[in-house]
Amino acid sequence: MMKGGQGKKLLWTNILCILLLQCLDLTTGAKVPAIIVFGDSSVDAGNNNFISTVARSNFQPYGRDFMGGKPTGRFSNGRIATDFLSEAFGIKPYIPAYLDTSYNISQFSTGVTFASAATGYDNATSDVLSVIPLWKQLEYYKEYQKKLGAYLGEKKAKETIAKSVYIISLGTNDFLENYYTIPGRASQYTPREYQNFLAGIAENFVHKLYGLGAKKISLGGLPPMGCLPLERTTNFVGGNDCVSNYNNIALEFNDKLNKLTTKLKKGLPGIRLVFSNPYDILFSVVKKPAQYGFQVTSMACCATGMFEMGYACSRASIFSCMDASRYVFWDSFHPTEKTNGIVANYLMKNALAQFFH
């Protein structure tokens, strides 16, 4: 006999799979042999488990709705957006972390993430919690290319590299963990100058990826950062509503990335670069939760739902909600599996589906 919560979760999973598959013609799935991922906790599947940092989530209650109820290092109760995207491309149901030694090149050949929770475009951001900077993620990718060549043969590996989809998802930590929290960058740059600084790093990174053979690249935008429960909890003056200043920063930076995408498409022959913007869909979910089947938006499911993430989330886990599918956010900084699925579906329809053709 299935409990009510389990039944609802199964129903939701089935509906989501149908939604994801409806917007695609999966008969062309072979055109995308792998998903390669760079970024922060939005797309980290557990790389931080294998480095010395406190920015981890490889413990309960994280992963309680993942396959087998296992905490993997994903900052959610279940799957993250890139897992859903991998499934939607007809590849596999989740993307493993590159540093996880329980996987090998045969599994990585169809998808791998080099992402590291708490990192950013800015090296100073990755230094805050001693995580993997973006330049190091690229070094791991070069190492991966060599392994792929040895495993598939040079010709097939080159073809896989050219046809794979590359997901880049980071930037939130540069502002919330670094610029607006720690003295340093804020004394060097105005908010707009800092955005330009980060956009310059993003541009350089896309150039380097392209130089290594990548063609199908998704440059991800920022979410409405001011609507994260952590920011709302501390917004006493604004009555615990979304922090408009942070949301405006996200909108401004997204505009820069969108313009950068247009510029790079003109300058790099054969590149198929898209700007994947999660802002509108997440803002819509937060402002009209009932339309998406949610009941709680201002607080997270884990612990008290106000400010906990990582180890704090685990320590106070007895206060966690029973049914995460009612919540937009899992911890004070990260969405639930259900939200991740909705965002993935939106990005697939509005940006990534063209990679099938």
Side-chain angles (χ1 to χ4, degrees):
M1 187 79 177
M2 205 177 283
K3 289 182 183 173
Q6 287 175 312
K8 268 195 256 176
K9 177 172 165 27
L10 186 63
L11 177 65
W12 162 249
T13 303
N14 289 340
I15 290 169
L16 187 63
C17 285
I18 291 164
L19 282 172
L20 282 164
L21 299 179
Q22 270 178 346
C23 64
L24 304 168
D25 172 11
L26 286 181
T27 58
T28 59
K31 289 194 176 175
V32 177
I35 308 279
I36 313 292
V37 187
F38 302 90
D40 58 19
S41 58
S42 60
V43 290
D44 181 3
N47 282 311
N48 279 15
N49 304 351
F50 304 94
I51 61 171
S52 183
T53 178
V54 295
R56 289 188 185 183
S57 60
N58 57 331
F59 37 76
Q60 294 287 352
Y62 286 93
R64 72 181 195 189
D65 298 310
F66 195 75
M67 299 155 195
K70 182 188 169 192
T72 58
R74 288 167 174 80
F75 277 79
S76 188
N77 59 304
R79 291 195 289 170
I80 53 179
T82 36
D83 296 323
F84 286 106
L85 292 175
S86 174
E87 186 168 58
F89 274 111
I91 302 172
K92 56 188 178 185
Y94 60 89
I95 297 177
Y98 183 66
L99 297 183
D100 190 337
T101 52
S102 63
Y103 297 95
N104 58 42
I105 191 61
S106 68
Q107 287 124 324
F108 293 148
S109 67
T110 54
V112 61
T113 178
F114 302 97
S116 177
T119 202
Y121 284 109
D122 186 354
N123 288 337
T125 304
S126 58
D127 289 344
V128 176
L129 293 175
S130 304
V131 295
I132 306 165
L134 194 55
W135 67 265
K136 181 68 174 174
Q137 292 183 32
L138 196 69
E139 290 302 308
Y140 282 137
Y141 173 63
K142 289 176 187 173
E143 182 181 275
Y144 164 79
Q145 281 197 343
K146 286 178 186 168
K147 290 178 184 174
L148 195 68
Y151 176 67
L152 295 177
E154 289 305 323
K155 189 182 174 189
K156 182 84 186 291
K158 221 172 227 184
E159 190 181 310
T160 297
I161 286 159
K163 290 184 176 179
S164 293
V165 168
Y166 296 79
I167 308 279
I168 303 166
S169 176
L170 70 169
T172 303
N173 297 318
D174 290 307
F175 294 100
L176 298 185
E177 183 192 310
N178 183 356
Y179 187 86
Y180 287 107
T181 306
I182 291 169
R185 291 306 193 201
S187 62
Q188 291 176 276
Y189 302 101
T190 65
R192 195 154 290 177
E193 285 169 348
Y194 191 57
Q195 288 174 43
N196 290 335
F197 170 70
L198 298 178
I201 297 169
E203 180 173 8
N204 190 36
F205 187 75
V206 171
H207 269 282
K208 285 179 177 173
L209 257 190
Y210 174 79
L212 290 166
K215 295 284 189 290
K216 300 175 178 179
I217 303 172
S218 163
L219 185 58
L222 298 186
M225 306 185 294
C227 294
L228 299 174
L230 179 65
E231 306 311 330
R232 293 182 73 161
T233 298
T234 52
N235 186 20
F236 307 115
V237 178
N240 300 117
D241 200 357
C242 297
V243 182
S244 57
N245 179 44
Y246 290 157
N247 281 354
N248 290 337
I249 289 287
L251 287 167
E252 285 175 20
F253 188 60
N254 285 349
D255 186 53
K256 287 185 192 298
L257 292 182
N258 193 22
K259 285 173 179 166
L260 173 62
T261 302
T262 306
K263 174 188 164 187
L264 288 169
K265 277 197 290 191
K266 287 176 185 171
L268 299 174
I271 197 170
R272 295 179 63 192
L273 180 66
V274 297
F275 175 58
S276 294
N277 188 0
Y279 188 99
D280 291 342
I281 182 63
L282 268 170
F283 193 71
S284 177
V285 167
V286 167
K287 291 300 178 182
K288 301 170 191 169
Q291 284 187 21
Y292 301 89
F294 293 107
Q295 292 172 29
V296 187
T297 66
S298 62
M299 295 173 69
C301 170
C302 195
T304 66
M306 293 187 287
F307 54 84
E308 296 94 347
M309 69 179 106
Y311 287 108
C313 184
S314 180
R315 281 195 295 268
S317 65
I318 56 165
F319 300 109
S320 297
C321 77
M322 295 296 288
D323 181 7
S325 71
R326 293 169 57 240
Y327 286 71
V328 175
F329 293 97
W330 165 247
D331 66 17
S332 67
F333 217 74
H334 304 98
T336 55
E337 176 180 69
K338 181 175 169 182
T339 307
N340 286 329
I342 290 168
V343 171
N345 187 44
Y346 175 88
L347 294 178
M348 182 61 83
K349 284 181 177 175
N350 292 280
L352 302 172
Q354 63 179 274
F355 288 145
F356 272 100
H357 307 301

